[in-house]
Structure formats: C-alpha cells, structure tokens
Amino acid sequence: MFTFPILAVRNIIERGTIDAANNGGFRNPYYGLRPGEGEVPGVWLVGDQGVYIMSNGKLAAGERPLVLYSEQCHPNGSPDWYDYKRRHFGGDDGIEFIDAEQLIPLFDQNFRGTHLNVQLTERQVSLSLITR
C-alpha cells in the first residue's frame, strides 16, 4: 500500500491539467504502445527509485513534472524503501495510470479523508481514503 496526502494529489492533478493546457495535451503513460489511452487528466503511479505519483500533462522543453513520493517509499526518507517497493510494487520499474475521474469523486465524497491509499495487485489498482 502506498499513501499520499490528498491535498498534494489534487495539486499533482491540477499541475498536469495546467501543463496540458499550455503544452498541447496529456502524455501517454504507456510509451505510445496504447495510443490515446491514459491521455486524460490523472496521475501516474511510478515505481522507479521509490514509488511516487507524478503529473501527466505534456511539458515544455526542459520542464519537469510535479512529483510526490509515497510516505512508505521515498528513497531519501525511508531506509527500507527498496524492499517495500519490491514487495508492494514489484521488482521492475513501471507505470500505472490513475484517471482523475476515479480520484476527484472519491475525494469529494469523503470530506474527512486526508490521505489516499493505493494498493496494487496483479490485476487491479485499489483506491481508498484514510483519516490521519
């Protein structure tokens, strides 16, 4: 399970939407293998050096996406991040797209939720909110 503060996730979605408006749309999270899929507002859940979400709007040359590491898997803040990533994301690097249409209603329905939990299985991505 990977945990992210909801307000920060909203900022990631907003930044992606602004980047998309300024630079011609949304990036394809599947390296062009599935054209058109995932090219809408949302976030990318990335397993790489840690696990993080990032904005998905197209970027101008030299710009970087907004990134937010999960609480459990930040390489500079979690000494066991590598083992945690392997156990809950897998050993390989990868990207899972999460559509803003799944996230925003979830956030708006639960005003007490402060953090988003993302859990991966081999077949699905599960989203839930918790209060801290």
Side-chain angles (χ1 to χ4, degrees):
M1 184 174 327
F2 303 100
T3 307
F4 305 92
I6 290 174
L7 292 176
V9 175
R10 285 184 182 271
N11 289 339
I12 297 279
I13 294 168
E14 183 179 340
R15 168 69 182 275
T17 302
I18 291 168
D19 288 341
N22 291 337
N23 300 301
F26 294 92
R27 293 177 288 148
N28 184 297
Y30 306 109
Y31 305 105
L33 297 175
R34 301 183 216 165
E37 190 175 333
E39 295 176 16
V40 295
V43 298
W44 294 359
L45 179 71
V46 179
D48 187 17
Q49 272 306 97
V51 174
Y52 51 89
I53 59 171
M54 63 189 276
S55 58
N56 71 328
K58 288 185 179 177
L59 302 167
E63 286 190 11
R64 299 177 66 112
L66 187 56
V67 170
L68 173 67
Y69 280 90
S70 76
E71 293 179 354
Q72 300 84 357
C73 210
H74 192 305
N76 294 332
S78 304
D80 65 342
W81 72 267
Y82 182 76
D83 292 329
Y84 194 91
K85 178 199 175 273
R86 287 183 56 84
R87 188 170 50 245
H88 297 282
F89 193 94
D92 294 332
D93 294 347
I95 297 172
E96 293 291 335
F97 175 72
I98 304 173
D99 195 316
E101 287 187 6
Q102 290 178 287
L103 293 170
I104 300 301
L106 182 66
F107 297 162
D108 291 345
Q109 291 170 5
N110 185 341
F111 295 111
R112 293 186 179 161
T114 60
H115 289 74
L116 171 68
N117 277 338
V118 180
Q119 187 168 5
L120 302 174
T121 67
E122 288 186 28
R123 295 193 174 102
Q124 72 179 33
V125 177
S126 299
L127 306 172
S128 61
L129 298 183
I130 61 170
T131 303
R132 288 204 180 153

